[in-house]
Amino acid sequence: QAQLVESGGGLVQAGGTLRLSCAASGRTFYAMGWFRQFPGKEREFVAFSGWSGSPTYYADAVKGRFTISRDNARNTAYLQMNSLKPEDTAVYYCARRKFSGNNWRLKSDYDYWGQGAQVTVSS
């Protein structure tokens, strides 16, 4: 059974940077995704990476500011977040995708999830 452990969340001022890490146990040759959840809202797609590091896809709201990457030798995926905005404040989750195909935005395509990391951006 896979386990995903996130780290790197915190409080940052607008315009600042944070990097989230997602350490995985077990096999790492899976596509990975990052999602975020605002209070009272559904979890939403943020970024996707194929198992080798490509292709990558991003939500329009983060495109050009966030970068997803992975180091399979370390069993770790990352989400580099630059130029953070107060509206990026949310709990961020990494997840392992169990299916192939083009539905990488769908939560139901992912089977294991991290515990979540709070990211708070102050104005």
Side-chain angles (χ1 to χ4, degrees), residues 43-113:
R43 202 168 295 185
E44 66 177 38
F45 169 78
V46 173
F48 167 86
S49 169
W51 71 268
S52 66
S54 67
T56 58
Y57 301 108
Y58 298 92
D60 289 343
V62 307
K63 201 173 295 183
R65 300 188 298 122
F66 290 12
T67 302
I68 187 172
S69 62
R70 59 195 300 160
D71 183 344
N72 285 342
R74 297 178 182 271
N75 293 354
T76 303
Y78 304 97
L79 185 68
Q80 177 69 40
M81 303 183 292
N82 298 332
S83 303
L84 282 161
K85 304 175 182 179
E87 51 264 43
D88 294 318
T89 296
V91 178
Y92 285 72
Y93 298 87
C94 64
R96 189 186 80 170
R97 188 164 183 240
K98 60 182 177 180
F99 294 129
S100 59
N102 295 328
N103 294 327
W104 27 266
R105 292 178 178 269
L106 297 182
K107 296 188 297 293
S108 57
D109 261 31
Y110 297 79
D111 56 355
Y112 289 99
W113 294 79

